[in-house]
Amino acid sequence: MQNRSNLSTYSGKKPFTVKIASWSARHRWIVFGLWFVFIIGLMVGSSFVPQSATDRDVYAGLDFETAKASKVLKDNGGEANPNQKFFLIVSNPNLKATDPAFQETVGKMVEELNTYNVTQDGQSKPLFSQLLNPYQVPPQAGLISEDGTTVRIYGQIPSESNWQKMKEKIEPFAPKIKELKGHYPEYKVLASNVTLDYLEANADAQESLNHSLLITLIPTFVILLVVFGAFVASIVPLILALTAIIGAIGILTAYSRFFGDKDISTAMTLMVLMGLAVAVDYSLFVISRYRSERRKGRDKLDAIEVACGTAGRAVFFSGLLVAISISGLFILGSLFVPMALGVIAVVLMAVLGSMTFLPAMLAILGKGINWGRIPYFGREREEGKGVWSAIVHAVMRRPVVTTLVAVSLLVGLASPLLHIRLGITQSDSDKLESQQAAKVMNEKWPQGTSLTMLVVITKADQPETQAAMKQFEAAALQVPNINGPVEIIPSKDGKVAVMTFLQAGSWNDQKNQDAVTKIRKEVIPANLKTVNGVEAYVMGMSAEVIDESKFFMNPTVWVFVLGLSFLVLLLVFRSLVIGVKAIILNLLSTCAAYGIVILVFQDGWLGVKPTGVMEVWLPVFIFAIVFGLSMDYHMFILTRIKELRDKGYDSNQAVAEGISITSGTITGAAAIMVVVFGDFFIGLDDPSVRQLGLGLAVAVFLDATIVRSMLLPAVMRLMGEFNWWMPAFLNWLPTITIESEVEELPAVSVVEEAEKEMAVA
C-alpha cells in the first residue's frame, strides 16, 4: 500500500466539501445512522406542520390579465355565490329521456342525492345547497340533451375557505355516489365535480407514479450492474436516491400544508423523476472515481478523499448549478413554486447525501463495494479504453465533418419549433370518470357546459355600469364561440360582478382563444370602458392559455439561466470560449428536444394520441432543468480535461484523454436518466408529465452522445489552445476550483497513445 501523504497533495486548505466528506468517512456509523434519522424526521415532521386556513393564491404577484381579474375578486371579498357545480349525467342505451321509466329513475336519483348530509360545527347540513331535477325546470336550463338521450342532474355545493376543508367535505361522498350507480346497473351514470375530479386524478396519478417508480428501478439497477459490474456498488446509488426522494417529499409536504397549496401532484411526480435520476448519477460519478483510485493502490480513506475532492466537488457544483437554474423559475412568480421547490429540494438532498451519506457508506463497505462481481462486466478494465475512446479519437481525426454532421442533425431535429403551439393539457384517459363525463357533455351539449369565459367588472353597483353590462352581454353573444345562458354573480360587497359565458370544446382550441381576444380588444372597450372608471378583465381557461403562453416565454428566466451558466464556467475554467461554447451546445440539444416533443405530442408521431399543443410551462422548465443537467456532464468532463492540461498535456491530448476516460461513466449516467425520464413518458397518463419525460430523455440522450462525445471533442479539436483563451481584462475575476487533489500523471502508455493519435490527426 502506498503512503497516503505521497498521493494526496493540496495547495492551501482543503475545500469544505472535502472536509465534510472526510469527516463523514471517519465517523461512518454515526453519519450512516444520522442520515436515516434525518430523512425519517423530515417525512414524519411534515405531518405536524399546521394546515393553512386559506389556499395559496397561485396568481399572487403576477401581472397578466387573468391574475389581475383574480386580484380584483379577492380584494372585494370574492364572489357572493362561491358554489361548486355538480353534475350527475344519466343515460340509458334502451330508453329515451322522455320515457316514464327513465323519468322515474332520475327522480329517485335526485331523492337519494338529497339525503346526502355533511356534519359541520356539530350540525348536520345537506351537502347540496341546490339540486335540480331536469324534468322540473324549464327547457332553457339545458339539462336535457337535444337528442333526448341524456339528462343532467345539476347541483351546487357550498365552497369552503380552503381546499382541505372542501376535500374533507366531499371525499366521503365518492363511495356513496358509487353506491348510487350500483342501484341502477342498466343506466350509465357519470359524476362530475371539480373536487371529485381532482381527487380521482390525484389518486390515479399517485398509483401510476408508484407503479412507474417500481418498474423504473429494475432497468436502473441493470444499468448500474453493467456500469459497475458488481451487485453492492449497484445498490448504493439506489439507496441514496430513495432516501433523497423521501426527504424531499417531507419538505414538499410541509410546504403544501403551511402555505395551503393543494395542487402538488405534478410537483411530486417531477420531484420523484428528478430525484431518482440525479441521485443515481451523482453516486455513479463518486463511486466510479473511488473505485478507480482504489485500483491505483490508494487506501480506503485516501480514495474517498480523492473521489470527493474531484468527482464529489464536480457533483457539488453541478447540483448547486441545477438548483440555482431551477430557482430562476421563481422569477416568474408563484405559479411555479411547488414544481421548482420540489426539484430544488430533491437535488440538494442528493448533493447533501453525496457529501455525507455516500462517503460513510464507502468507508463502511471498503473493498466490499465490489462484492457480487458480475461475470464479464465485473472484470478490471483499463481507464480510457473501449468503444467511446475509439469514437472520440475518430472524431478528433475528422473534426470538420463531425461538426457539420452533428450540427445539421440537431438543427433538423429542432426545426418543428417553427410550428409550435402552446396550451394547457389534461389527461384524456378513458379510465377517469371525469374525462368520460367531459366527453359526454361536449357531445350532448355542443354549445358548451363546463368551459366558461368569465368577465370581472368593477363598479358593478352603479346604474350606468349595469346598463353598460346589458349592452356588453348582447354584443358578446354575437361573437362566435361565446354562448349563453349568461350568469351574473356579484361579489360580497356588490362592487364587482362576474359575468359568465359558455364556450364549447377545449380551451386549447384556437377559435375559443380568438373569441377571448376579440372580447378583450373590441367588445369590452366598446361597451364597458366607455363608462368612467370601470375596469373589466377576462379570465377562464381559454384566457389563461393566452396569458400563460405569453408569460412563460418571458426572457428573464432564459437570460438568468444562460448568464449564470456562463459565469460559473468562466470562473471555474478561466476561459471565455468554454463558457460560450457550452451555452451554444446546450441550446442545440435543448431545441432538438423541443422538436421531438412537438413531433410526438403536437403532431402525433410514434402513434401517440396528439394533444395538439406543447404544455405551456414545458419550454422554460425543460430549458432550466436541461441546462442544469448539461452542466453536470460538462463539468465532469471538463474537470478531467483541465486536470490533465494542468499537468502538462497540450489541449488536444487533454481533450482526447479526458473525454475517453469519462465517456463510459457519462454514458452510464445518461442511460439511467434516459430510462427514468423515458419511463415517465411511457408509463404515466398525465400528458404534461409525459411531455416532460420525453423532452428530458431526448435532451439527455443527445447531450451525452451527439454533443458530449462527438460535437464537443470535434469543436475543441478545431479550436486547440484557443479553447482556454481568457482576455486580459478579465483576469481580476476570482477562480472557483472544483478539483482539489493533484494526481499523478496517467500511465506512460496512455499518454504515448494520445500523442500518437494527435500526430496522425
Side-chain angles (χ1 to χ4, degrees):
M1 184 68 65
Q2 299 183 43
N3 186 286
R4 176 173 174 165
S5 62
N6 294 330
L7 291 171
S8 183
T9 304
Y10 291 88
S11 55
K13 295 181 179 180
K14 295 180 183 179
F16 80 96
T17 54
V18 177
K19 290 181 180 179
I20 293 172
S22 298
W23 189 91
S24 299
R26 292 194 305 272
H27 302 83
R28 63 205 72 161
W29 288 109
I30 294 175
V31 172
F32 178 83
L34 286 177
W35 177 254
F36 286 99
V37 170
F38 175 59
I39 295 300
I40 295 170
L42 285 175
M43 192 64 185
V44 175
S46 65
S47 62
F48 292 97
V49 174
Q51 180 71 49
S52 172
T54 57
D55 291 337
R56 181 177 73 91
D57 182 4
V58 296
Y59 295 122
L62 303 181
D63 194 39
F64 51 76
E65 187 163 338
T66 300
K68 291 177 180 177
S70 177
K71 186 176 187 304
V72 168
L73 276 178
K74 185 177 180 181
D75 290 346
N76 288 273
E79 299 169 18
N81 184 27
N83 292 314
Q84 282 194 5
K85 294 180 179 180
F86 171 88
F87 290 103
L88 196 72
I89 306 157
V90 186
S91 63
N92 187 311
N94 302 314
L95 296 174
K96 283 282 191 178
T98 53
D99 290 340
F102 195 112
Q103 295 184 37
E104 182 182 357
T105 299
V106 169
K108 290 179 179 179
M109 291 181 181
V110 173
E111 291 177 3
E112 186 167 344
L113 289 172
N114 265 321
T115 64
Y116 292 174
N117 290 328
V118 59
T119 301
Q120 290 181 314
D121 301 325
Q123 295 182 338
S124 180
K125 302 176 182 178
L127 176 66
F128 298 98
S129 61
Q130 183 184 38
L131 199 61
L132 301 181
N133 185 323
Y135 298 106
Q136 296 176 357
V137 295
Q140 292 82 357
L143 297 183
I144 302 176
S145 65
E146 291 185 2
D147 63 5
T149 63
T150 310
V151 304
R152 295 181 297 173
I153 300 172
Y154 172 71
Q156 289 190 351
I157 303 173
S159 296
E160 298 298 327
S161 60
N162 62 39
W163 156 251
Q164 188 63 33
K165 288 184 178 180
M166 200 67 196
K167 174 187 174 184
E168 292 171 357
K169 182 176 184 177
I170 292 183
E171 194 170 29
F173 295 96
K176 290 189 176 183
I177 293 172
K178 185 177 181 180
E179 183 180 333
L180 180 148
K181 296 176 187 179
H183 296 162
Y184 310 98
E186 66 275 21
Y187 287 82
K188 182 178 181 180
V189 182
L190 299 169
S192 178
N193 163 262
V194 63
T195 301
L196 283 175
D197 295 349
Y198 178 82
L199 290 172
E200 179 193 34
N202 194 46
D204 180 70
Q206 187 61 51
E207 182 182 353
S208 298
L209 177 61
N210 293 339
H211 178 69
S212 185
L213 181 59
L214 288 174
I215 293 177
T216 304
L217 288 174
I218 297 173
T220 300
F221 179 63
V222 170
I223 294 171
L224 288 170
L225 280 176
V226 172
V227 173
F228 287 135
F231 180 83
V232 172
S234 304
I235 288 290
V236 173
L238 296 180
I239 296 174
L240 175 60
L242 292 176
T243 52
I245 289 170
I246 293 170
I249 288 174
I251 294 172
L252 190 59
T253 302
Y255 154 81
S256 173
R257 291 179 61 84
F258 188 79
F259 290 99
D261 199 326
K262 69 180 177 66
D263 194 11
I264 62 169
S265 56
T266 301
M268 195 73 75
T269 301
L270 179 59
M271 186 184 67
V272 171
L273 178 147
M274 287 295 298
L276 184 58
V278 299
V280 170
D281 265 18
Y282 293 167
S283 302
L284 192 152
F285 292 154
V286 175
I287 294 173
S288 294
R289 188 60 183 260
Y290 167 77
R291 296 174 83 209
S292 172
E293 297 304 321
R294 290 288 277 172
R295 285 194 294 269
K296 292 177 182 179
R298 298 185 193 269
D299 65 31
K300 179 173 63 178
L301 293 180
D302 182 60
I304 292 172
E305 189 171 278
V306 173
C308 293
T310 51
R313 291 272 289 169
V315 162
F316 173 77
F317 283 106
S318 298
L320 202 60
L321 191 55
V322 172
I324 296 174
S325 296
I326 298 300
S327 71
L329 299 173
F330 291 130
I331 296 173
L332 293 177
S334 56
L335 280 174
F336 263 140
V337 168
M339 289 190 288
L341 180 64
V343 172
I344 291 171
V346 80
V347 168
L348 293 182
M349 288 294 297
V351 170
L352 180 61
S354 299
M355 293 169 58
T356 57
F357 173 74
L358 192 54
M361 281 294 294
L362 291 175
I364 290 170
L365 291 170
K367 291 183 179 179
I369 194 73
N370 295 317
W371 288 344
R373 285 189 179 275
I374 310 299
Y376 179 76
F377 296 109
R379 73 190 191 282
E380 295 288 345
R381 292 173 242 184
E382 188 178 351
E383 228 178 18
K385 299 295 181 182
V387 103
W388 281 115
S389 175
I391 291 174
V392 168
H393 285 82
V395 162
M396 294 187 73
R397 287 195 295 269
R398 300 287 185 272
V400 175
V401 173
T402 301
T403 300
L404 291 175
V405 170
V407 170
S408 298
L409 174 62
L410 294 173
V411 170
L413 291 174
S415 61
L417 272 169
L418 297 173
H419 66 274
I420 186 175
R421 284 197 69 233
L422 298 178
I424 298 176
T425 62
Q426 64 175 355
S427 175
D428 60 356
S429 173
D430 289 334
K431 68 181 181 181
L432 295 180
E433 185 172 347
S434 57
Q435 295 307 307
Q436 297 175 33
K439 289 177 181 179
V440 170
M441 287 204 286
N442 284 331
E443 177 185 344
K444 299 298 181 179
W445 287 271
Q447 74 275 17
T449 56
S450 57
L451 180 60
T452 57
M453 182 191 75
L454 298 88
V455 182
V456 179
I457 304 166
T458 63
K459 296 190 175 182
D461 56 342
Q462 298 181 6
E464 58 269 32
T465 306
Q466 293 171 1
M469 288 168 62
K470 291 180 181 179
Q471 295 176 358
F472 168 73
E473 178 181 335
L477 290 174
Q478 298 302 310
V479 176
N481 294 96
I482 301 294
N483 306 308
V486 178
E487 186 178 6
I488 300 177
I489 306 172
S491 63
K492 290 180 180 179
D493 61 9
K495 295 181 179 180
V496 172
V498 179
M499 298 183 70
T500 65
F501 299 81
L502 294 177
Q503 290 189 297
S506 166
W507 48 75
N508 292 321
D509 293 344
Q510 190 62 49
K511 59 185 180 181
N512 284 333
Q513 295 174 29
D514 290 342
V516 169
T517 301
K518 187 176 181 67
I519 293 291
R520 283 176 167 176
K521 293 186 175 180
E522 299 178 20
V523 183
I524 286 178
N527 295 276
L528 290 174
K529 292 192 176 179
T530 55
V531 180
N532 186 34
V534 170
E535 295 293 334
Y537 304 101
V538 179
M539 61 190 301
M541 288 302 297
S542 298
E544 193 170 329
V545 171
I546 297 171
D547 293 341
E548 291 188 9
S549 295
K550 295 177 181 177
F551 179 74
F552 288 133
M553 299 311 290
N554 185 318
T556 307
V557 174
W558 309 76
V559 172
F560 174 84
V561 175
L562 289 173
L564 178 70
S565 300
F566 174 76
L567 180 61
V568 170
L569 289 170
L570 182 67
L571 297 179
V572 169
F573 297 106
R574 307 295 295 175
S575 167
L576 194 68
V577 176
I578 281 180
V580 172
K581 183 165 76 269
I583 286 174
I584 294 172
L585 296 182
N586 287 350
L587 284 174
L588 282 171
S589 58
T590 303
C591 290
Y594 291 156
I596 297 296
V597 173
I598 293 167
L599 288 175
V600 172
F601 283 94
Q602 186 175 309
D603 301 342
W605 283 35
L606 300 182
V608 173
K609 187 176 181 180
T611 59
V613 295
M614 179 188 280
E615 183 66 38
V616 67
W617 49 262
L618 203 69
V620 68
F621 218 96
I622 286 181
F623 172 77
I625 292 176
V626 166
F627 254 76
L629 296 179
S630 295
M631 288 301 102
D632 191 1
Y633 296 155
H634 208 71
M635 281 192 172
F636 190 68
I637 293 173
L638 289 178
T639 297
R640 267 305 179 98
I641 293 173
K642 189 172 184 296
E643 285 179 32
L644 295 173
R645 188 174 180 276
D646 289 345
K647 292 169 182 173
Y649 284 54
D650 67 30
S651 181
N652 289 333
Q653 291 174 331
V655 169
E657 288 309 301
I659 296 179
S660 296
I661 290 170
T662 55
S663 286
T665 303
I666 292 292
T667 302
I672 289 167
M673 281 201 174
V674 169
V675 166
V676 174
F677 295 148
D679 184 58
F680 282 74
F681 161 60
I682 296 170
L684 297 181
D685 293 326
D686 186 337
S688 64
V689 177
R690 295 188 68 204
Q691 288 184 13
L692 181 63
L694 177 64
L696 292 177
V698 170
V700 169
F701 174 78
L702 293 175
D703 191 79
T705 54
I706 304 299
V707 174
R708 303 295 160 209
S709 297
M710 297 178 68
L711 193 53
L712 177 64
V715 173
M716 292 192 79
R717 172 73 174 92
L718 289 172
M719 291 187 171
E721 291 298 325
F722 186 64
N723 282 302
W724 311 99
W725 178 70
M726 182 77 160
F729 69 87
L730 292 178
N731 285 337
W732 61 271
L733 289 172
T735 301
I736 298 176
T737 303
I738 290 185
E739 72 283 356
S740 60
E741 199 273 338
V742 180
E743 296 181 283
E744 295 176 323
L745 291 174
V748 175
S749 60
V750 178
V751 179
E752 289 178 343
E753 185 176 338
E755 291 173 342
K756 186 177 180 181
E757 290 287 350
M758 293 303 101
V760 172

